[in-house]
Amino acid sequence: MTPNLAIDIAGVKFKNPILTASGTCGYGEELADIFPLKTLGGIVTKTITLQPRDGHRPPRTAETASGMLNAIGLANVGVDKYITDKLPFFDKLDLVLVVNVAGWKIGDYVELCARLTDHPRVDMIELNFSCPNVELGMELAGNAELAEKAVREVKKVCTKPIIAKLSPNVTDVPSIAKACEAGGADAVSLINTLVGMAVDIESWRPRLTNNTGGLSGPCIKPVALAKVFQVSKAVKIPIIGVGGISTYADVVEFMLCGASAVQVGTALFVEPDAPVKIIKGLNKYLKDHKLTSVTDLIGKVRVW
Amino acid sequence: MSLIKNATITIAKKKPLGRGYYRFTVGPFPKVSVIKPGQFIHLKIPDTNIYFRRAFSVYDINPKTDTIEIIFKVFGRGTALLAKLRDGDVVDILGPLGNGFTLPRKDDTAVMVAGGIGMPPIYFLAKHLIEKGYNPDKISYFYGGNTKDDLVDIARIRKTGVKLFPATLDGSSGFKGLVTEAIMNKIDLDAKNIRFFACGPEGMLKAVDDLARGHNIPGQLSLEAPMPCGIGVCLGCIRPLREGGYTRVCREGPVYNIGEVIL
């Protein structure tokens, strides 16, 4: 029997729990050369802002042990061009489309969601509350009151389910998750990148022009897993696990720790067809373990 | 474009070329004939300590054996590990990626400029053009390096029949000085229908770009940038455009028109 990989988050049906993470799959079209996008449960676009942005000066990525640093600076075409130029690509594609948005004040998030909510092809909106490379991102990430208010304001204008993307760079991630839940978030995704730094010892220059950046890749997976586990104890809304996921085994770990779905990010840079391999592997894992549905894994970690 | 996804490719032949330069023949690679001069492959160094792939311009293709060749020089940890691989070892390759050169018209004079380890796409371009019937006499091929040991595989370049002008900083081979000085010395830059094709170190590309723009000569440059993904999704390999904004070297490049990118 073929195991059932389908999941449901806030009434949105995913054919499998594998999404691609914001900022690692462009607007979607870039990956279409590599594998059929409909293989995916869903895709999360790179962060969209009200105005177009060029992003930070290069260099804005640096290789690290088992991962990388980035400070792209939310380079994107802006919401107008996104809607006219990038969104139509998804018209005939059967997968969940999550649009990730970020702003510099709560009003920006409200305006972005208001612009996107009526578009039939947008299935969900992910609020980037955690970009370590822009100022408000850091503030929203660590301030429960502000995060709750932002979600509440957005929910007033937006009928699409809202995912709040949380930062690991705060003292207490579960309290922020709870605040987002209280504000009306339909799900949370975590973690965004960890603040990190690397320096060239010849030029004494940081390897990124932003000086610090966000660390991602396999090196952050244990941190992400622990945060997902902690947040799963604190909230009732679904959790989407993100952070260093490269294999089906990573997915199983995240789901056992409470994730209902996952996002594959930095792994795409090294293995652009990683999601295809992950979905295959997950299928086999479920079969081998005589599980009929992937949902049987959610939160089932046998804690000591 | 036929894209090879994470294909495992065997190293068929490893050839040290001296001074840390290596030539690898890898394959089998389906439909190597579709690969255009200027395109690159993205190779995973088989070592868990190296996270990103490394980009290499294609040096040559062999449709009979379905193999391609790359040439690299040991610079850092990635290339050092690559140099340790042996015949029969397997590597994971993604490609061909990026855009190739726009070929010159039959009556154009191609001034090709290869600097140091930027030589592979220039050789491939020259060979490809000649195979397509382009007159080798209409290719002036400048090959620059610090010293004669940096001018690798030179017999093979000579065999194509191009007009070869070596240039070395120490004068150990050919013209003594910068490759752009050699060009000014040997080429009438006010002649009609000249086209530049260049790949090499940043300083050389800037000099070629300045020279070409100064004489209103069109042409193309193949740029290098550290490329985490190679497929246009990470936005790490960007360069500033003269018209404003950035370009992704892996996706819109690596070949650009003279003057397009701020060097």
Side-chain angles (χ1 to χ4, degrees), chain A residues 83-273:
Chain A
I83 291 172
T84 55
D85 294 5
K86 304 294 180 186
L87 201 44
F89 173 77
F90 282 90
D91 280 351
K92 282 175 188 149
L93 276 176
D94 174 29
L95 80 164
V96 173
L97 175 62
V98 184
V99 180
N100 181 297
V101 298
W104 278 256
K105 50 186 194 293
I106 290 176
D108 294 347
Y109 285 89
V110 174
E111 195 180 336
L112 281 157
C113 290
R115 297 285 307 279
L116 291 161
T117 189
D118 291 330
H119 207 288
R121 190 56 192 91
V122 177
D123 296 306
M124 303 178 96
I125 295 172
E126 184 176 69
L127 307 177
N128 183 354
F129 280 177
S130 46
C131 183
N133 304 324
V134 296
E135 236 168 75
L136 181 74
M138 289 301 261
E139 218 178 304
L140 274 173
N143 185 328
E145 220 171 293
L146 211 58
E148 179 178 343
K149 188 173 175 226
V151 177
R152 200 179 296 285
E153 295 296 319
V154 161
K155 285 297 281 186
K156 282 182 192 163
V157 301
C158 184
T159 57
K160 306 276 178 178
I162 291 292
I163 306 166
K165 186 165 183 182
L166 308 180
S167 167
N169 304 308
V170 301
T171 315
D172 186 7
V173 183
S175 72
I176 309 291
K178 266 187 179 160
C180 291
E181 185 179 40
D186 299 277
V188 285
S189 53
L190 59 140
I191 56 174
N192 204 321
T193 55
L194 287 147
V195 174
M197 190 167 181
V199 177
D200 178 346
I201 62 164
E202 295 306 321
S203 65
W204 298 12
R205 286 280 203 189
R207 291 194 185 275
L208 304 172
T209 58
N210 195 52
N211 299 316
T212 61
L215 182 66
S216 65
C219 56
I220 72 163
K221 198 196 86 181
V223 178
L225 203 55
K227 299 299 175 201
V228 165
F229 178 66
Q230 289 162 1
V231 168
S232 76
K233 305 289 169 211
V235 299
K236 293 194 174 60
I237 51 175
I239 298 164
I240 302 172
V242 204
I245 296 171
S246 320
T247 66
Y248 80 89
D250 297 337
V251 177
V252 174
E253 279 190 84
F254 272 86
M255 294 191 77
L256 288 173
C257 287
S260 294
V262 298
Q263 295 173 5
V264 178
T266 303
L268 292 169
F269 297 167
V270 182
E271 306 281 341
D273 63 346

Side-chain angles (χ1 to χ4, degrees), chain B residues 38-74:
Chain B
Q39 286 193 299
F40 66 94
I41 57 159
H42 221 196
L43 186 149
K44 180 99 182 81
I45 309 286
D47 187 289
T48 51
N49 290 318
I50 305 286
Y51 191 60
F52 290 156
R53 287 171 183 268
R54 298 290 191 266
F56 297 95
S57 261
V58 175
Y59 172 57
D60 206 349
I61 55 170
N62 188 339
K64 278 183 204 145
T65 51
D66 287 333
T67 53
I68 67 168
E69 288 175 290
I70 57 169
I71 286 187
F72 65 92
K73 187 183 182 187
V74 173

Side-chain angles (χ1 to χ4, degrees), chain B residues 19 39 92 113 127 162 166:
Chain B
R19 286 260 297 185
Q39 286 193 299
D92 174 335
V113 196
K127 189 197 147 190
V162 296

Side-chain angles (χ1 to χ4, degrees), chain B:
Chain B
M1 184 174 77
S2 77
L3 191 66
I4 297 162
K5 292 169 264 187
N6 302 11
T8 48
I9 305 281
T10 308
I11 295 171
K13 199 171 170 194
K14 169 182 166 182
K15 167 94 176 147
L17 301 171
R19 286 260 297 185
Y21 289 89
Y22 290 87
R23 185 176 73 212
F24 275 14
T25 309
V26 294
F29 218 92
K31 284 199 240 164
V32 293
S33 54
V34 303
I35 302 173
K36 298 186 188 95
Q39 286 193 299
F40 66 94
I41 57 159
H42 221 196
L43 186 149
K44 180 99 182 81
I45 309 286
D47 187 289
T48 51
N49 290 318
I50 305 286
Y51 191 60
F52 290 156
R53 287 171 183 268
R54 298 290 191 266
F56 297 95
S57 261
V58 175
Y59 172 57
D60 206 349
I61 55 170
N62 188 339
K64 278 183 204 145
T65 51
D66 287 333
T67 53
I68 67 168
E69 288 175 290
I70 57 169
I71 286 187
F72 65 92
K73 187 183 182 187
V74 173
F75 272 110
R77 289 183 309 139
T79 41
L81 285 160
L82 192 59
K84 288 199 177 115
L85 297 181
R86 296 177 187 168
D87 292 0
D89 283 349
V90 165
V91 286
D92 174 335
I93 284 174
L94 182 70
L97 298 169
N99 302 293
F101 288 101
T102 305
L103 304 183
R105 293 164 306 187
K106 280 240 175 334
D107 51 347
D108 288 336
T109 297
V111 176
M112 299 196 182
V113 196
I117 199 55
M119 62 81 80
I122 299 299
Y123 168 77
F124 187 16
L125 175 65
K127 189 197 147 190
H128 181 80
L129 277 174
I130 293 163
E131 276 174 2
K132 284 182 81 91
Y134 195 89
N135 181 358
D137 281 345
K138 295 194 78 92
I139 299 175
S140 293
Y141 193 116
F142 291 83
Y143 187 7
N146 289 324
T147 175
K148 68 173 172 20
D149 294 339
D150 290 311
L151 308 183
V152 296
D153 234 4
I154 204 138
R156 194 143 141 192
I157 301 166
R158 218 179 280 281
K159 228 173 103 183
T160 59
V162 296
K163 285 197 269 180
L164 180 61
F165 301 101
T168 51
L169 287 181
D170 66 358
S172 53
S173 173
F175 180 88
K176 184 180 178 183
L178 293 169
V179 75
T180 36
E181 291 165 352
I183 294 169
M184 288 189 278
N185 199 274
K186 301 282 180 192
I187 301 287
D188 174 12
L189 293 172
D190 298 317
K192 275 187 182 162
N193 300 331
I194 296 181
R195 264 169 201 273
F196 273 121
F197 299 91
C199 185
E202 201 67 15
M204 184 204 96
L205 289 178
K206 188 172 169 17
V208 171
D209 194 70
D210 289 344
L211 190 66
R213 284 189 297 133
H215 289 82
N216 279 318
I217 299 168
Q220 292 185 312
L221 310 173
S222 178
L223 304 193
E224 192 183 22
M227 282 178 195
C229 79
I231 57 169
V233 292
C234 78
L235 309 185
C237 66
I238 51 143
R239 301 293 301 259
L241 286 170
R242 205 169 291 275
E243 62 172 32
Y246 291 117
T247 175
R248 296 170 294 183
V249 174
C250 71
R251 191 92 180 183
E252 283 83 42
V255 173
Y256 291 93
N257 289 329
I258 298 274
E260 204 177 346
V261 171
I262 301 172
L263 295 165

